[in-house]
Coordinates of all heavy atoms in Angstrom, one line a residue:
T261 N 17.2 81.6 234.0 CA 17.4 80.3 234.7 C 17.9 79.2 233.8 O 18.2 78.1 234.2 CB 16.1 79.9 235.4 OG1 15.1 79.7 234.3 CG2 15.6 80.9 236.4
H262 N 17.9 79.5 232.5 CA 18.4 78.6 231.5 C 19.9 78.7 231.2 O 20.5 77.8 230.6 CB 17.7 78.8 230.2 CG 16.2 78.5 230.2 ND1 15.7 77.2 230.3 CD2 15.1 79.3 230.2 CE1 14.4 77.3 230.4 NE2 14.0 78.5 230.3
V263 N 20.5 79.7 231.8 CA 22.0 79.9 231.6 C 22.7 79.4 232.9 O 22.4 79.9 234.0 CB 22.3 81.4 231.4 CG1 23.9 81.6 231.3 CG2 21.7 81.9 230.1
P264 N 23.6 78.5 232.8 CA 24.3 78.0 234.0 C 25.2 79.1 234.6 O 25.6 80.1 234.0 CB 25.1 76.8 233.5 CG 25.3 77.1 232.0 CD 24.1 77.8 231.6
F265 N 25.6 78.9 235.9 CA 26.4 79.9 236.6 C 27.7 80.1 235.9 O 28.1 81.2 235.7 CB 26.7 79.4 238.0 CG 27.6 80.3 238.8 CD1 27.1 81.5 239.3 CD2 28.9 80.0 238.9 CE1 28.0 82.3 240.0 CE2 29.8 80.8 239.6 CZ 29.3 82.0 240.2
W266 N 28.3 79.0 235.4 CA 29.6 79.2 234.7 C 29.4 80.0 233.4 O 30.3 80.8 233.0 CB 30.2 77.8 234.3 CG 29.4 77.0 233.3 CD1 28.6 76.0 233.6 CD2 29.4 77.2 231.9 NE1 28.1 75.4 232.4 CE2 28.6 76.2 231.4 CE3 30.1 78.0 231.0 CZ2 28.3 76.0 230.0 CZ3 29.8 77.9 229.6 CH2 29.0 76.9 229.1
G267 N 28.2 79.9 232.8 CA 27.9 80.7 231.6 C 27.8 82.2 231.9 O 28.3 83.0 231.1
K268 N 27.2 82.5 233.0 CA 27.1 83.9 233.4 C 28.4 84.5 233.7 O 28.7 85.6 233.4 CB 26.1 84.0 234.6 CG 24.7 83.6 234.3 CD 23.8 83.6 235.5 CE 22.4 83.1 235.1 NZ 21.4 83.2 236.3
D269 N 29.3 83.7 234.3 CA 30.6 84.1 234.6 C 31.4 84.4 233.4 O 32.1 85.4 233.2 CB 31.3 83.1 235.5 CG 32.7 83.5 235.9 OD1 32.8 84.5 236.6 OD2 33.7 82.8 235.6
A270 N 31.3 83.4 232.4 CA 32.1 83.6 231.1 C 31.6 84.8 230.4 O 32.4 85.5 229.7 CB 31.9 82.3 230.3
F271 N 30.3 85.0 230.4 CA 29.7 86.1 229.7 C 30.2 87.4 230.3 O 30.5 88.4 229.6 CB 28.2 86.1 229.7 CG 27.5 87.3 229.2 CD1 27.4 87.6 227.9 CD2 27.0 88.3 230.1 CE1 26.9 88.8 227.4 CE2 26.4 89.4 229.6 CZ 26.4 89.7 228.3
Q272 N 30.2 87.5 231.6 CA 30.7 88.8 232.2 C 32.1 89.1 231.9 O 32.5 90.2 231.7 CB 30.4 88.7 233.8 CG 29.0 88.8 234.2 CD 28.8 88.7 235.7 OE1 29.2 87.8 236.3 NE2 28.1 89.8 236.2
Y273 N 32.9 88.0 231.8 CA 34.3 88.2 231.5 C 34.4 88.7 230.0 O 35.2 89.6 229.7 CB 35.0 86.8 231.6 CG 36.5 86.8 231.2 CD1 37.5 87.0 232.2 CD2 36.9 86.5 229.9 CE1 38.8 87.0 231.9 CE2 38.3 86.5 229.6 CZ 39.2 86.7 230.6 OH 40.5 86.7 230.2
F274 N 33.6 88.1 229.1 CA 33.6 88.6 227.8 C 33.1 90.0 227.7 O 33.7 90.8 226.9 CB 32.6 87.7 227.0 CG 32.2 88.1 225.6 CD1 33.0 87.7 224.5 CD2 31.1 88.8 225.4 CE1 32.7 88.1 223.2 CE2 30.8 89.2 224.1 CZ 31.6 88.9 223.0
Q275 N 32.1 90.4 228.4 CA 31.5 91.7 228.4 C 32.5 92.8 228.8 O 32.6 93.8 228.2 CB 30.2 91.7 229.3 CG 29.5 93.1 229.3 CD 28.3 93.0 230.2 OE1 27.2 93.3 229.7 NE2 28.4 92.7 231.4
S276 N 33.2 92.4 229.9 CA 34.2 93.4 230.4 C 35.3 93.7 229.4 O 35.8 94.8 229.3 CB 34.8 92.9 231.7 OG 35.5 91.7 231.6
D277 N 35.7 92.6 228.6 CA 36.7 92.8 227.6 C 36.2 93.7 226.5 O 36.8 94.6 226.0 CB 37.1 91.4 227.1 CG 38.2 90.8 227.9 OD1 38.8 91.5 228.8 OD2 38.5 89.6 227.6
I278 N 35.0 93.3 226.0 CA 34.5 94.0 224.7 C 34.1 95.4 225.0 O 34.1 96.2 224.1 CB 33.4 93.1 224.1 CG1 33.3 93.4 222.6 CG2 32.1 93.4 224.8 CD1 32.6 92.4 221.8
L279 N 33.7 95.8 226.2 CA 33.3 97.1 226.5 C 34.3 98.0 227.2 O 34.1 99.1 227.6 CB 32.0 97.1 227.4 CG 30.8 96.5 226.8 CD1 29.6 96.6 227.8 CD2 30.4 97.2 225.5
S280 N 35.6 97.5 227.4 CA 36.6 98.2 228.0 C 36.9 99.5 227.3 O 37.2 99.5 226.1 CB 37.9 97.4 228.1 OG 39.0 98.1 228.7
E281 N 36.9 100.6 228.0 CA 37.3 101.9 227.4 C 38.8 102.2 227.6 O 39.4 102.9 226.9 CB 36.5 103.0 228.1 CG 35.0 102.9 227.7 CD 34.2 104.1 228.3 OE1 34.8 105.0 228.9 OE2 33.0 104.1 228.1
E282 N 39.4 101.6 228.7 CA 40.8 101.8 228.9 C 41.7 101.0 227.9 O 42.8 101.5 227.6 CB 41.2 101.3 230.4 CG 40.5 102.2 231.4 CD 40.8 101.7 232.8 OE1 41.5 100.6 232.9 OE2 40.4 102.3 233.8
N283 N 41.2 99.8 227.5 CA 41.9 99.0 226.6 C 41.0 98.5 225.5 O 40.5 97.4 225.6 CB 42.5 97.8 227.3 CG 43.6 97.1 226.5 OD1 44.1 97.6 225.5 ND2 43.9 95.9 226.9
P284 N 40.7 99.4 224.5 CA 39.6 99.1 223.5 C 39.9 97.7 222.8 O 41.0 97.5 222.3 CB 39.7 100.2 222.6 CG 40.3 101.4 223.4 CD 41.3 100.7 224.3
F285 N 38.8 96.9 222.7 CA 38.9 95.7 222.1 C 39.1 95.9 220.6 O 38.4 96.7 220.0 CB 37.6 94.9 222.3 CG 37.7 93.4 221.9 CD1 38.4 92.5 222.7 CD2 37.1 92.9 220.8 CE1 38.5 91.2 222.4 CE2 37.2 91.6 220.4 CZ 37.9 90.7 221.2
P286 N 40.0 95.1 219.9 CA 40.3 95.4 218.5 C 39.2 95.2 217.5 O 39.1 96.0 216.5 CB 41.5 94.3 218.3 CG 42.0 94.1 219.6 CD 40.9 94.1 220.5
C287 N 38.3 94.2 217.7 CA 37.3 94.0 216.7 C 36.2 95.0 216.9 O 35.2 94.8 217.7 CB 36.7 92.6 216.9 SG 35.4 92.2 215.7
I288 N 36.3 96.1 216.1 CA 35.3 97.2 216.3 C 33.9 96.8 215.8 O 32.9 97.3 216.3 CB 35.8 98.4 215.5 CG1 35.9 98.2 214.0 CG2 37.0 99.0 216.1 CD1 36.2 99.4 213.2
L289 N 33.8 95.8 214.9 CA 32.5 95.3 214.5 C 31.8 94.6 215.6 O 30.6 94.7 215.9 CB 32.6 94.4 213.3 CG 33.2 95.0 212.0 CD1 33.1 94.1 210.9 CD2 32.5 96.3 211.6
G290 N 32.6 93.8 216.4 CA 32.0 93.1 217.5 C 31.6 94.0 218.6 O 30.6 93.9 219.3
V291 N 32.4 95.1 218.9 CA 32.1 96.1 219.9 C 30.9 96.8 219.6 O 30.0 97.0 220.4 CB 33.3 97.0 220.1 CG1 32.9 98.2 221.0 CG2 34.5 96.3 220.6
E292 N 30.8 97.2 218.3 CA 29.6 98.0 217.9 C 28.3 97.1 217.9 O 27.3 97.5 218.3 CB 29.8 98.5 216.4 CG 28.8 99.4 215.9 CD 28.8 100.8 216.6 OE1 29.8 101.1 217.3 OE2 27.8 101.5 216.5
G293 N 28.5 95.8 217.5 CA 27.4 94.9 217.6 C 26.9 94.7 219.0 O 25.7 94.6 219.3
F294 N 27.8 94.5 219.9 CA 27.5 94.3 221.3 C 26.7 95.5 221.9 O 25.7 95.4 222.5 CB 28.7 94.0 222.2 CG 28.3 93.6 223.6 CD1 28.2 92.3 223.9 CD2 28.1 94.5 224.6 CE1 27.9 91.9 225.2 CE2 27.8 94.2 225.9 CZ 27.7 92.8 226.2
K295 N 27.2 96.7 221.6 CA 26.6 98.0 222.1 C 25.2 98.1 221.6 O 24.3 98.7 222.2 CB 27.5 99.2 221.8 CG 28.8 99.3 222.5 CD 29.6 100.5 222.1 CE 30.8 100.6 223.0 NZ 31.6 101.8 222.6
K296 N 24.9 97.6 220.3 CA 23.6 97.8 219.7 C 22.7 96.6 220.0 O 21.7 96.5 219.4 CB 23.8 98.0 218.2 CG 24.4 99.3 217.8 CD 24.5 99.5 216.3 CE 25.0 100.9 216.0 NZ 25.1 101.2 214.5
D297 N 23.2 95.6 220.8 CA 22.4 94.4 221.2 C 22.2 93.6 219.9 O 21.1 93.0 219.7 CB 21.1 94.8 221.8 CG 20.4 93.6 222.5 OD1 21.1 92.7 222.9 OD2 19.1 93.6 222.5
L298 N 23.2 93.4 219.1 CA 23.1 92.6 217.9 C 23.7 91.3 218.0 O 23.6 90.4 217.1 CB 23.7 93.4 216.7 CG 23.1 94.8 216.4 CD1 23.9 95.4 215.2 CD2 21.6 94.7 216.2
L299 N 24.4 91.0 219.1 CA 25.1 89.7 219.3 C 24.1 88.8 220.0 O 23.2 89.2 220.8 CB 26.3 89.9 220.2 CG 27.6 90.2 219.5 CD1 27.5 91.5 218.7 CD2 28.8 90.3 220.5
R300 N 24.3 87.5 219.7 CA 23.5 86.4 220.3 C 24.4 85.4 220.9 O 25.5 85.2 220.3 CB 22.5 85.8 219.2 CG 21.5 86.8 218.6 CD 20.5 87.3 219.7 NE 19.5 88.2 219.2 CZ 19.7 89.5 219.2 NH1 20.7 90.1 219.7 NH2 18.7 90.3 218.7
F301 N 24.0 84.7 221.9 CA 24.8 83.9 222.7 C 24.2 82.5 223.0 O 22.9 82.4 223.1 CB 25.2 84.6 224.0 CG 25.8 85.9 223.9 CD1 25.0 87.1 223.8 CD2 27.1 86.1 223.8 CE1 25.5 88.3 223.7 CE2 27.7 87.4 223.6 CZ 26.9 88.5 223.6
S302 N 25.0 81.5 223.2 CA 24.5 80.2 223.6 C 25.6 79.5 224.5 O 26.8 79.9 224.4 CB 24.2 79.3 222.4 OG 23.4 78.2 222.8
F303 N 25.2 78.6 225.3 CA 26.0 78.0 226.3 C 25.9 76.4 226.3 O 24.8 75.9 226.4 CB 25.7 78.5 227.7 CG 25.7 80.0 227.7 CD1 24.6 80.7 227.4 CD2 26.9 80.7 228.2 CE1 24.6 82.1 227.4 CE2 26.9 82.1 228.2 CZ 25.8 82.8 227.9
V304 N 27.0 75.7 226.0 CA 26.9 74.2 226.1 C 28.2 73.8 226.9 O 29.1 74.5 227.1 CB 26.9 73.6 224.7 CG1 25.6 73.9 224.0 CG2 28.1 74.0 223.9
T305 N 28.1 72.5 227.3 CA 29.2 72.0 228.2 C 30.5 71.6 227.4 O 31.6 72.1 227.7 CB 28.7 70.8 229.0 OG1 27.6 71.2 229.7 CG2 29.8 70.3 229.9
T306 N 30.3 70.8 226.4 CA 31.5 70.3 225.7 C 31.2 69.9 224.3 O 30.1 69.4 224.0 CB 32.1 69.0 226.4 OG1 33.2 68.4 225.6 CG2 31.1 68.0 226.7
P307 N 32.1 70.0 223.3 CA 31.8 69.6 222.0 C 31.9 68.1 221.8 O 31.6 67.5 220.7 CB 32.9 70.3 221.2 CG 34.1 70.5 222.1 CD 33.4 70.7 223.5
Y308 N 32.4 67.4 222.8 CA 32.6 65.9 222.7 C 31.4 65.1 223.3 O 31.6 63.9 223.6 CB 33.9 65.5 223.4 CG 35.1 66.1 222.7 CD1 36.0 67.0 223.3 CD2 35.4 65.7 221.3 CE1 37.1 67.5 222.6 CE2 36.4 66.2 220.6 CZ 37.3 67.1 221.3 OH 38.4 67.6 220.6
N309 N 30.3 65.8 223.4 CA 29.1 65.1 223.8 C 28.0 65.3 222.8 O 27.8 66.5 222.3 CB 28.6 65.6 225.2 CG 27.2 65.0 225.6 OD1 26.2 65.5 225.2 ND2 27.3 64.0 226.4
Y310 N 27.4 64.3 222.3 CA 26.5 64.4 221.1 C 25.3 65.4 221.4 O 25.0 66.2 220.6 CB 25.9 63.1 220.7 CG 24.8 63.2 219.6 CD1 25.3 63.4 218.3 CD2 23.5 63.1 219.9 CE1 24.3 63.6 217.3 CE2 22.5 63.3 218.9 CZ 23.0 63.5 217.6 OH 22.1 63.7 216.6
Q311 N 24.7 65.3 222.6 CA 23.6 66.2 222.9 C 24.1 67.7 223.0 O 23.4 68.6 222.5 CB 22.9 65.8 224.2 CG 21.7 66.6 224.5 CD 20.6 66.4 223.5 OE1 20.3 65.2 223.1 NE2 20.1 67.5 222.9
D312 N 25.3 67.9 223.5 CA 25.8 69.2 223.6 C 26.0 69.8 222.2 O 25.7 71.0 221.9 CB 27.1 69.3 224.4 CG 26.9 69.2 225.9 OD1 25.8 69.7 226.3 OD2 27.7 68.7 226.6
I313 N 26.7 69.0 221.3 CA 27.0 69.5 220.0 C 25.7 69.7 219.2 O 25.5 70.6 218.3 CB 28.0 68.7 219.2 CG1 28.7 69.4 218.1 CG2 27.4 67.4 218.7 CD1 29.5 70.6 218.6
R314 N 24.7 68.8 219.5 CA 23.4 69.0 218.8 C 22.7 70.3 219.3 O 22.1 71.0 218.5 CB 22.5 67.8 219.2 CG 21.1 67.8 218.5 CD 20.3 66.6 218.8 NE 19.0 66.6 218.2 CZ 17.9 67.2 218.8 NH1 18.1 67.7 220.0 NH2 16.8 67.2 218.2
N315 N 22.8 70.6 220.6 CA 22.2 71.8 221.1 C 22.9 73.0 220.5 O 22.3 74.0 220.2 CB 22.3 71.9 222.6 CG 21.4 70.9 223.3 OD1 20.3 70.5 222.7 ND2 21.6 70.6 224.5
A316 N 24.3 72.9 220.3 CA 25.0 74.0 219.7 C 24.5 74.2 218.3 O 24.4 75.4 217.8 CB 26.5 73.7 219.7
A317 N 24.3 73.1 217.6 CA 23.9 73.2 216.2 C 22.5 73.8 216.1 O 22.2 74.6 215.2 CB 23.9 71.8 215.5
L318 N 21.6 73.4 217.0 CA 20.2 74.0 217.0 C 20.2 75.5 217.3 O 19.5 76.2 216.6 CB 19.4 73.3 218.1 CG 19.0 71.8 217.8 CD1 18.3 71.2 219.0 CD2 18.1 71.7 216.6
A319 N 21.1 75.9 218.2 CA 21.2 77.4 218.5 C 21.8 78.1 217.3 O 21.3 79.2 216.9 CB 22.1 77.6 219.7
L320 N 22.8 77.5 216.6 CA 23.4 78.2 215.5 C 22.4 78.2 214.3 O 22.3 79.2 213.6 CB 24.7 77.4 215.1 CG 25.4 77.9 213.8 CD1 25.8 79.4 214.0 CD2 26.7 77.1 213.6
K321 N 21.6 77.2 214.1 CA 20.6 77.1 213.1 C 19.5 78.2 213.4 O 19.1 79.0 212.5 CB 19.9 75.8 213.0 CG 18.8 75.7 212.0 CD 18.1 74.3 212.1 CE 17.0 74.2 211.1 NZ 15.9 75.1 211.5
E322 N 19.1 78.4 214.6 CA 18.1 79.4 215.0 C 18.7 80.8 214.7 O 18.0 81.6 214.2 CB 17.8 79.3 216.5 CG 16.7 80.3 216.9 CD 16.4 80.1 218.4 OE1 16.8 79.1 219.0 OE2 15.8 81.1 218.9
Y323 N 20.0 81.0 215.0 CA 20.6 82.2 214.7 C 20.6 82.5 213.2 O 20.3 83.6 212.8 CB 22.0 82.3 215.3 CG 22.8 83.5 214.9 CD1 22.6 84.7 215.4 CD2 23.8 83.3 213.9 CE1 23.3 85.8 215.0 CE2 24.6 84.4 213.5 CZ 24.3 85.7 214.0 OH 25.0 86.7 213.6
I324 N 21.1 81.5 212.4 CA 21.2 81.7 211.0 C 19.8 82.0 210.4 O 19.7 82.8 209.4 CB 21.9 80.5 210.3 CG1 23.3 80.4 210.8 CG2 21.8 80.6 208.8 CD1 24.0 79.2 210.3
D325 N 18.8 81.4 210.9 CA 17.4 81.7 210.3 C 17.0 83.1 210.6 O 16.0 83.6 209.9 CB 16.4 80.7 211.0 CG 16.5 79.3 210.5 OD1 17.0 79.2 209.3 OD2 16.1 78.4 211.2
T326 N 17.6 83.8 211.5 CA 17.1 85.2 211.8 C 18.2 86.3 211.7 O 17.8 87.5 211.9 CB 16.6 85.2 213.3 OG1 17.7 84.8 214.2 CG2 15.4 84.2 213.5
F327 N 19.4 86.0 211.4 CA 20.5 87.0 211.6 C 20.3 88.2 210.7 O 20.7 89.3 211.1 CB 21.9 86.4 211.4 CG 22.3 86.1 210.0 CD1 22.8 87.0 209.2 CD2 22.1 84.8 209.5 CE1 23.2 86.8 207.9 CE2 22.5 84.5 208.2 CZ 23.0 85.5 207.4
K328 N 19.7 88.0 209.5 CA 19.6 89.2 208.6 C 18.5 90.2 209.1 O 18.5 91.3 208.7 CB 19.2 88.7 207.2 CG 20.4 88.1 206.5 CD 20.1 87.7 205.1 CE 21.3 87.1 204.4 NZ 21.1 86.7 203.0

Side-chain angles (χ1 to χ4, degrees):
T261 58
H262 295 288
V263 177
F265 176 79
W266 66 260
K268 296 177 182 182
D269 182 62
F271 170 76
Q272 288 181 302
Y273 180 91
F274 170 87
Q275 180 177 241
S276 64
D277 274 352
I278 205 165
L279 292 182
S280 174
E281 294 183 1
E282 296 179 356
N283 193 20
F285 193 73
C287 180
I288 59 173
L289 299 184
V291 173
E292 190 69 15
F294 189 91
K295 289 180 177 179
K296 292 184 175 181
D297 192 29
L298 304 180
L299 273 57
R300 298 295 181 264
F301 305 88
S302 194
F303 306 84
V304 295
T305 302
T306 172
Y308 293 118
N309 175 277
Y310 176 76
Q311 188 59 50
D312 282 331
I313 201 66
R314 181 176 178 274
N315 287 340
L318 289 172
L320 181 55
K321 177 182 178 297
E322 181 181 347
Y323 170 75
I324 291 173
D325 283 337
T326 59
F327 76 85
K328 288 184 179 180

